[in-house]
Amino acid sequence: MVIKTILDTDLYKFTTSYAYIKLFPYALGTFSFKDRDETRYTAGFLEALKNELQSLSLVSLTEAELEYMYGHCRFLPKVYWEWLSSFRFDPKKIEVFLDDEQHLHIEVTDFLYKVTLYEVPLLAIVSEIKNQFMNRIPVDEDWMGRLVAKVNISNDNELPFSEFGTRRRFSFDVQDKVVAYLKQHARYCTGTSNCYLAMKYGMLPMGTHPHEWFMFHGAQFGYKHANYMALENWVNVYDGDLGTALSDTYTSDAFLSNFSRKQAKLFDGVRCDSGNEYEFIDRLIERYKELGIDPTVKTIIFSNALDFEKALRIFNYCKGKIRCSFGIGTNLTNDTGYQPSNIVMKLSRCKMNVNQEWRECVKLSDDMGKHMGSITEVGACLHELRISD
């Protein structure tokens, strides 16, 4: 089994699940898989994948895990963890097949508070099985040597970062070894997004909210109001906890124009997940100053395809201007000498209840070529936001 515990996932899957339960308990959604590399998979891979998906149904929250999460996540009530202890992944809800060109298709549909929990485990399973079928074996001294050098960059420069690498890791074993090394040697590692490894190594579980939260609001309430309403509803659930706002679901330009003074004061900072980081730093600082807020008390979390050399350059640029930290994923958990999988699962459609028609979800990006959704709906979103593509 690739996934042996329901906690082998990112914290923000649980925080988003609870937000759906509290505000939109009848909403449904579909998560769809996309392989940006257009990989051709084999029938043997598909069979192994289906076997792993069946094994997912055996995973559940244990009593010890419940007590740990309740004790370390004060922003989530015990009733959520008690509900999660009864939750089981349902393989029958996972549609998986290879098309005529051997491209992999995966879709999962359920209530949003349930279906959001499938995303990270499915991506981790695909990544690990793909490496197994390609007979990839990491050479310990090579990838561990690179890990040592990365941690030295952080330690030598007081560079704060957290480990965000579950979804596209080489394997669970590699991520486990990475987090164990970070716990022992990385003085400025602030935690890990993986709840099980946080529990295992006594680290802080890290995370806030994902793009899907904004995509849901865009589909249901309109793209002009999506950023504002998504942040307002997040505050309605968490009352100031988990205060890092994701900025690029509908481009950072749209986000900054909607970023109200109340939200800018209430949220601790902003996460930058695409686009030119240096331009974003300057524009966010300018926006804070426009709103009469001292940017040096705010934080940017950078998480866009980072390595430690790039993080250090951004870190130095931010000095004296704004606080910053870094969520580093694939470069930590899949730097094993092979090309990592470029795979994602995103919310592709949703509806507020069973009686409503399905509405397509789209995601724009500050990176060219990374818009997600049909050409028609992406075009409608760009038009509504007055964005030229």
Side-chain angles (χ1 to χ4, degrees), residues 12-13 16 20 31 36 116 119 167-168 208-219 226-227 230 234 245-251 271-274 303-304 344-347 361-366 370 372:
Y12 76 148
K13 292 283 85 179
T16 307
Y20 286 134
F31 271 76
R36 290 171 174 152
T116 189
E119 176 197 355
R167 66 190 57 229
R168 285 187 285 269
T208 53
H209 50 228
H211 291 107
E212 72 177 87
W213 183 248
F214 295 81
M215 294 165 71
F216 169 78
H217 283 78
N227 284 314
W234 196 254
L246 185 54
S247 64
D248 69 332
T249 309
Y250 298 112
T251 74
R271 179 156 73 94
C272 174
D273 195 49
S274 64
S303 58
N304 182 27
V344 295
M345 281 194 82
K346 294 294 183 187
L347 185 65
C361 298
V362 301
K363 173 184 175 294
L364 305 185
S365 174
D366 290 333
K370 283 193 177 181
M372 294 194 69

Side-chain angles (χ1 to χ4, degrees), residues 197-349:
L197 294 175
M199 175 179 167
K200 181 176 180 179
Y201 293 107
M203 298 174 73
L204 189 66
M206 306 289 291
T208 53
H209 50 228
H211 291 107
E212 72 177 87
W213 183 248
F214 295 81
M215 294 165 71
F216 169 78
H217 283 78
Q220 294 299 324
F221 305 112
Y223 302 115
K224 283 183 180 179
H225 307 292
N227 284 314
Y228 181 82
M229 289 193 66
L231 293 183
E232 286 294 294
N233 276 332
W234 196 254
V235 172
N236 290 340
V237 176
Y238 289 111
D239 199 28
D241 280 328
L242 304 170
T244 301
L246 185 54
S247 64
D248 69 332
T249 309
Y250 298 112
T251 74
S252 57
D253 283 338
F255 173 86
L256 290 173
S257 67
N258 284 155
F259 201 33
S260 69
R261 187 171 185 271
K262 182 184 81 172
Q263 291 173 343
K265 289 177 75 69
L266 184 60
F267 279 81
D268 301 323
V270 172
R271 179 156 73 94
C272 174
D273 195 49
S274 64
N276 184 303
E277 289 87 357
Y278 303 97
E279 291 178 3
F280 182 77
I281 294 164
D282 293 342
R283 286 162 53 225
L284 181 61
I285 289 173
E286 181 182 358
R287 181 60 174 159
Y288 277 132
K289 290 180 176 178
E290 285 176 0
L291 297 170
I293 296 168
D294 179 3
T296 64
V297 303
K298 297 296 182 178
T299 302
I300 308 178
I301 307 294
F302 296 94
S303 58
N304 182 27
L306 294 173
D307 57 40
F308 280 76
E309 290 81 4
K310 179 180 177 181
L312 181 59
R313 292 192 295 271
I314 297 170
F315 179 65
N316 287 330
Y317 188 81
C318 288
K319 280 185 178 177
K321 302 174 184 175
I322 193 167
R323 297 173 182 172
C324 66
S325 187
F326 302 86
I328 302 182
T330 307
N331 185 251
L332 281 170
T333 63
N334 206 340
D335 184 17
T336 55
Y338 308 99
Q339 183 65 33
S341 296
N342 191 359
I343 54 177
V344 295
M345 281 194 82
K346 294 294 183 187
L347 185 65
S348 56
R349 62 177 188 164

Side-chain angles (χ1 to χ4, degrees), residues 15-158:
T15 58
T16 307
S17 169
Y18 176 65
Y20 286 134
I21 288 175
K22 189 164 183 180
L23 297 184
F24 309 109
Y26 302 107
L28 296 107
T30 297
F31 271 76
S32 301
F33 172 87
K34 181 176 178 61
D35 185 330
R36 290 171 174 152
D37 296 326
E38 297 291 331
T39 303
R40 293 178 179 269
Y41 294 87
T42 66
F45 167 89
L46 182 63
E47 188 64 27
L49 176 59
K50 288 182 176 179
N51 288 337
E52 282 293 337
L53 299 184
Q54 288 297 322
S55 297
L56 265 183
S57 63
L58 304 176
V59 172
S60 63
L61 188 73
T62 68
E63 185 64 30
E65 290 170 339
L66 185 155
E67 292 302 327
Y68 169 82
M69 293 304 293
Y70 177 58
H72 289 78
C73 302
R74 63 181 177 81
F75 37 81
L76 285 169
K78 192 168 187 178
V79 67
Y80 176 75
W81 303 113
E82 290 172 344
W83 167 79
L84 190 67
S85 67
S86 69
F87 171 80
R88 300 292 184 273
F89 291 106
D90 185 355
K92 295 191 295 296
K93 294 189 179 294
I94 307 172
E95 182 183 4
V96 54
F97 65 93
L98 298 181
D99 64 21
D100 292 340
E101 296 180 334
Q102 294 179 288
H103 296 147
L104 180 62
H105 295 261
I106 307 174
E107 281 197 343
V108 193
T109 300
D110 205 338
F111 289 104
L112 277 170
Y113 67 88
K114 294 181 181 180
V115 75
T116 189
L117 300 174
Y118 285 77
E119 176 197 355
V120 174
L122 291 186
L123 290 172
I125 289 170
V126 170
S127 182
E128 182 159 347
I129 294 179
K130 178 182 175 183
N131 289 323
Q132 290 173 359
F133 267 79
M134 298 183 77
N135 295 314
R136 293 174 169 177
I137 301 173
V139 180
D140 277 6
E141 58 190 42
D142 290 347
W143 74 267
M144 284 299 293
R146 289 192 292 273
L147 177 61
V148 171
K150 294 167 189 175
V151 170
N152 287 340
I153 290 174
S154 171
N155 288 344
D156 293 345
N157 295 279
E158 301 182 9

